[in-house]
């Protein structure tokens, strides 16, 4: 079978079809177009192409998990079912954090609920030439931290990874802060379980529930951050968090004791990021 025949028989969108071809045949998208009509597929390639195609088309398995990677802000990240697949919405958080970090001569930055590490790694890559900008990233999942560490290593950035249920590892036995930060970032779980019925099949069936859902109408982890940030944040510091599209005012209300709260919207006009000024 020629490659072009298989591509034409695919029931997936063209870009997904070609991403699978790229994974199995080792061809980039330009070469796929150039050689598709003459490229003879081996039986093992046909079997692998069909396997990945059916997992995606029939089972709705996330393409990024099938491929083993996802792109975020132009960087390639390893992803497994132990971490959320990075999404465009989170770039808004990274961009806001970059604005805060850029003028600082030095800073300690903590990324809570780091998952794949995409937030911390992108920022560490951006500021890799600023020796006094130090990054920490934490997660409750050891498997997620393993993925995040691999992403940091593959992109050549230095991050201190910490296994922690939210802030727990950053307190000593007397409940005093062991570390103080200038910036705390987080894309925590924020979907209320009642909203599961509205989610896409690939997300709700295959991405980790631990990283998706939160109690208290999705506010559980924002409440934990609001209860702890004063102890762990230096004066004049910042907390920047991704939020659900209807959560802006609810989350902002949790931070009444701060100097200022800014709600940042996405391109669709929905609440997407909360910036808390200490």
């Amino acid at each position: 079978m020629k490659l072009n025949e298989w591509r034409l028989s695919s029931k997936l969108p063209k870009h997904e079809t070609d991403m699978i071809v790229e994974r199995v045949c080792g061809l980039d998208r330009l070469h796929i177009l150039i050689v598709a009509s003459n490229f003879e597929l081996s039986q093992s390639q046909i079997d692998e192409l069909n396997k990945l195609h059916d997992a995606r088309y029939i089972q709705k398995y996330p393409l990024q998990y099938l491929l083993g990677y996802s792109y975020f802000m132009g960087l390639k990240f390893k992803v497994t079912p132990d971490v959320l697949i990075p999404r465009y919405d989170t770039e808004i958080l990274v961009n806001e954090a970059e604005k805060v970090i850029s003028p600082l001569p030095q800073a300690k930055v903590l990324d809570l609920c780091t998952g794949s590490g995409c937030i911390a790694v992108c920022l560490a890559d951006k500021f890799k030439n600023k020796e006094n900008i130090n990054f920490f990233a934490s997660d409750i999942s050891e498997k997620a931290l393993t993925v995040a560490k691999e992403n940091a290593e593959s992109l050549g950035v230095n991050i201190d990874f910490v296994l922690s249920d939210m802030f727990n590892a950053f307190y000593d036995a007397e409940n005093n802060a062991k570390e103080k930060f200038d910036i705390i970032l987080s894309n925590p779980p924020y979907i209320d379980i009642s909203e599961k019925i509205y989610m896409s099949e690939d997300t709700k069936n295959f991405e980790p529930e631990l990283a998706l859902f939160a109690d208290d109408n999705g506010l559980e982890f924002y409440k934990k951050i609001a209860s702890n940030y004063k102890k762990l944040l230096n004066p004049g510091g910042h907390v920047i968090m991704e939020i659900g599209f209807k959560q802006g005012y609810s989350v902002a209300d949790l931070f009444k004791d701060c100097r200022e709260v800014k709600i940042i919207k996405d391109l669709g006009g929905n609440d997407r990021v909360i910036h808390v000024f200490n």
Side-chain angles (χ1 to χ4, degrees):
M1 176 184 280
K2 302 291 187 186
L3 174 56
N4 210 38
E5 294 177 72
W6 188 87
R7 289 175 74 233
L8 291 172
S9 71
S10 172
K11 297 177 181 179
L12 294 170
K14 185 177 292 185
H15 75 281
E16 292 194 3
T17 296
D18 286 349
M19 287 176 75
I20 290 174
V21 170
E22 183 179 353
R23 172 74 171 80
V24 173
C25 301
L27 300 170
D28 61 33
R29 295 192 197 182
L30 176 60
H31 284 91
I32 290 171
L33 295 175
I34 293 172
V35 306
S37 58
N38 296 314
F39 191 95
E40 190 72 38
L41 294 168
S42 67
Q43 188 57 51
S44 64
Q45 287 175 325
I46 293 171
D47 291 343
E48 184 66 13
L49 287 168
N50 288 338
K51 176 184 174 183
L52 295 178
H53 177 279
D54 291 349
R56 176 62 181 147
Y57 183 72
I58 298 173
Q59 300 172 35
K60 309 301 181 187
Y61 200 80
L63 180 63
Q64 294 89 339
Y65 290 158
L66 289 171
L67 302 175
Y69 63 85
S70 180
Y71 286 96
F72 180 75
M73 299 200 77
L75 299 178
K76 187 177 182 179
F77 285 86
K78 175 180 178 177
V79 291
T80 74
D82 297 309
V83 300
L84 284 185
I85 296 165
R87 288 163 167 79
Y88 172 75
D89 287 337
T90 306
E91 294 189 9
I92 299 170
L93 186 159
V94 175
N95 289 332
E96 184 70 8
E98 186 180 328
K99 293 175 190 174
V100 173
I101 297 170
S102 289
L104 299 177
Q106 59 184 38
K108 276 188 177 181
V109 183
L110 170 63
D111 176 28
L112 282 172
C113 311
T114 195
S116 67
C118 63
I119 293 171
V121 170
C122 279
L123 289 167
D125 180 70
K126 177 70 177 178
F127 296 104
K128 65 171 62 173
N129 294 323
K130 294 185 76 169
E131 294 182 0
N132 293 322
I133 306 295
N134 299 308
F135 290 90
F136 297 75
S138 69
D139 204 283
I140 194 174
S141 166
E142 288 189 59
K143 291 180 178 179
L145 282 180
T146 297
V147 174
K149 288 175 184 177
E150 290 184 38
N151 283 322
E153 289 170 5
S154 68
L155 289 163
V157 297
N158 294 317
I159 297 172
D160 289 317
F161 290 97
V162 182
L163 181 65
S164 181
D165 180 359
M166 296 302 284
F167 294 107
N168 287 359
F170 300 100
Y171 288 116
D172 63 21
E174 284 73 42
N175 207 35
N176 297 312
K178 294 193 289 186
E179 294 278 0
K180 288 261 190 173
F181 300 95
D182 300 289
I183 301 163
I184 295 173
L185 310 172
S186 189
N187 178 16
Y190 59 70
I191 301 171
D192 186 78
I193 195 67
S194 66
E195 297 179 21
K196 188 174 184 177
I197 59 173
Y198 304 112
M199 297 168 67
S200 65
E201 294 295 315
D202 50 357
T203 295
K204 69 182 179 183
N205 291 338
F206 298 103
E207 294 197 66
E209 290 195 356
L210 184 67
L212 288 169
F213 299 107
D215 292 333
D216 293 343
N217 296 314
L219 299 177
E220 175 187 3
F221 295 97
Y222 302 116
K223 289 181 178 180
K224 291 181 179 181
I225 294 171
S227 298
N228 287 275
Y229 82 101
K230 288 282 188 181
K231 297 179 183 177
L232 292 150
L233 200 64
N234 285 321
H238 304 258
V239 180
I240 306 172
M241 303 167 289
E242 183 172 325
I243 57 173
F245 71 98
K246 297 185 293 186
Q247 293 177 322
Y249 291 108
S250 297
V251 176
D253 195 52
L254 299 173
F255 294 86
K256 289 178 178 178
D257 59 346
C258 73
R259 178 164 52 92
E260 180 187 350
V261 178
K262 180 168 68 172
I263 300 173
I264 301 164
K265 296 185 180 294
D266 58 24
L267 293 178
N270 298 309
D271 298 343
R272 188 55 58 196
V273 166
I274 284 277
H275 185 163
V276 176
F277 298 76
N278 191 22

